[in-house]
Amino acid sequence: MEALFPYLLPYLILTQWFIRLTPNHNNSISKFGLYLKTYGISALGGFPTGAATITYLKKSKQITPKEASGLLSICHSPSPLFVIGFVGNDILNNTSFSWKFLILYHAVSFILLIIFYKVIRKDSLPTEQLPMQQNSQNYQNPFTSSIKDSIPTVLVVGSTIIFFTTIYTVVMHSISNFLPNVHNNFLLVTAATLEMTNGLQIAGQLFSNESAILYVLLATFLTTQSFSIHMQVAVIAKGEHISLKAYAMVRVLLTILIPALYYLIFLI
């Protein structure tokens, strides 16, 4: 409630509102514009705003299932408010890392978005346009509709965080009782795997005097995320039967690429 919801809830509603205020078009130029808009919303709102936006676009038949799967893998990033506010100010007391990470992460993701657009445009036939299904949406107030449609996402996020925080508490308590001499690094990896926010906090405590290691760890955790976040995306995507194969592959790619590039560019 202190670390995540203040950075998520306002942007979740506002981004859902924004996607409803902009019209759909079906020509190739506006298709890339739709991709850019979706990416921008996910970049500002953070996860799982991208997943919620993409499921809305697929449900309203503005994108195909193949496009939804590809965009879900690319339009997925931590909120800048979370990275700057929580990681930068609360953990590091310095936002330099946050800005560098965000620039690097979005530069790589934007390159992937352009590649995906080129591939999808080459593979798609000119007649493969979906019938628009937006008339029913126009009779609803966009802001009211955005609040209404944000509630399930907020419930998914909240219940997932509670679930994984409970597991985290039980697992960490069990480890401390049965393995009292376990190394702190094992506790760190366990915490970060279950719930990213806890991993970030523990990393900040353990490596506060080793900035290089701490920065690489933070970049890794922010890129890899955690079971908690992946479960949120999976639950939201399942509602529209969006494939998670591309999502899993891109997560592995970025997990290797982003920390390595951060180290090479900013720490050497």
Side-chain angles (χ1 to χ4, degrees), residues 180-192:
N181 298 321
V182 69
H183 198 279
N184 286 333
N185 291 345
F186 179 77
L187 297 176
L188 172 62
V189 173
T190 302

Side-chain angles (χ1 to χ4, degrees), residues 46-91:
F47 35 69
T49 305
T53 302
I54 291 163
T55 55
Y56 168 79
L57 293 175
K58 183 178 180 296
K59 183 178 181 180
S60 61
K61 299 190 181 301
Q62 298 185 53
I63 57 177
T64 65
K66 186 176 181 180
E67 289 176 303
S69 178
L71 289 174
L72 185 69
S73 66
I74 299 170
C75 301
H76 178 77
S77 60
S79 165
L81 278 181
F82 179 81
V83 177
I84 296 172
F86 178 67
V87 178
N89 287 327
D90 294 351
I91 294 180

Side-chain angles (χ1 to χ4, degrees), residues 80-120:
L81 278 181
F82 179 81
V83 177
I84 296 172
F86 178 67
V87 178
N89 287 327
D90 294 351
I91 294 180
L92 299 175
N93 295 318
N94 188 331
T95 60
S96 176
F97 163 83
S98 301
W99 287 108
K100 292 175 182 177
F101 172 81
L102 287 172
I103 292 172
L104 175 61
Y105 188 96
H106 288 298
V108 174
S109 297
F110 193 73
I111 292 173
L112 292 178
L113 181 68
I114 294 175
I115 294 173
F116 173 72
Y117 171 71
K118 297 290 185 181
V119 172
I120 206 75

Side-chain angles (χ1 to χ4, degrees), residues 97-259:
F97 163 83
S98 301
W99 287 108
K100 292 175 182 177
F101 172 81
L102 287 172
I103 292 172
L104 175 61
Y105 188 96
H106 288 298
V108 174
S109 297
F110 193 73
I111 292 173
L112 292 178
L113 181 68
I114 294 175
I115 294 173
F116 173 72
Y117 171 71
K118 297 290 185 181
V119 172
I120 206 75
R121 185 175 63 172
K122 181 184 298 184
D123 294 344
S124 300
L125 296 174
T127 56
E128 188 190 5
Q129 299 296 347
L130 295 170
M132 289 188 297
Q133 190 179 352
Q134 61 178 9
N135 291 336
S136 62
Q137 296 290 333
N138 291 337
Y139 293 106
Q140 302 179 25
N141 182 284
F143 185 70
T144 303
S145 178
S146 66
I147 296 177
K148 178 181 177 181
D149 291 345
S150 296
I151 292 175
T153 304
V154 172
L155 292 176
V156 168
V157 173
S159 59
T160 306
I161 289 175
I162 292 171
F163 175 74
F164 277 95
T165 299
T166 303
I167 293 179
Y168 163 81
T169 303
V170 172
V171 169
M172 299 300 278
H173 181 72
S174 300
I175 291 175
S176 62
N177 284 336
F178 294 105
L179 300 172
N181 298 321
V182 69
H183 198 279
N184 286 333
N185 291 345
F186 179 77
L187 297 176
L188 172 62
V189 173
T190 302
T193 301
L194 293 173
E195 217 294 306
M196 184 187 69
T197 306
N198 292 323
L200 294 171
Q201 288 177 321
I202 295 175
Q205 295 168 2
L206 293 179
F207 298 96
S208 58
N209 297 323
E210 302 177 59
S211 58
I213 297 177
L214 177 59
Y215 292 160
V216 172
L217 284 174
L218 294 179
T220 302
F221 295 160
L222 286 169
T223 306
T224 309
Q225 287 110 52
S226 61
F227 283 141
S228 172
I229 293 169
H230 300 320
M231 184 67 71
Q232 295 168 25
V233 174
V235 171
I236 294 172
K238 184 180 179 181
E240 284 298 316
H241 308 287
I242 300 175
S243 173
L244 295 174
K245 292 181 180 179
Y247 175 83
M249 290 189 293
V250 171
R251 292 270 63 77
V252 173
L253 173 64
L254 293 182
T255 298
I256 298 172
L257 196 58
I258 297 296

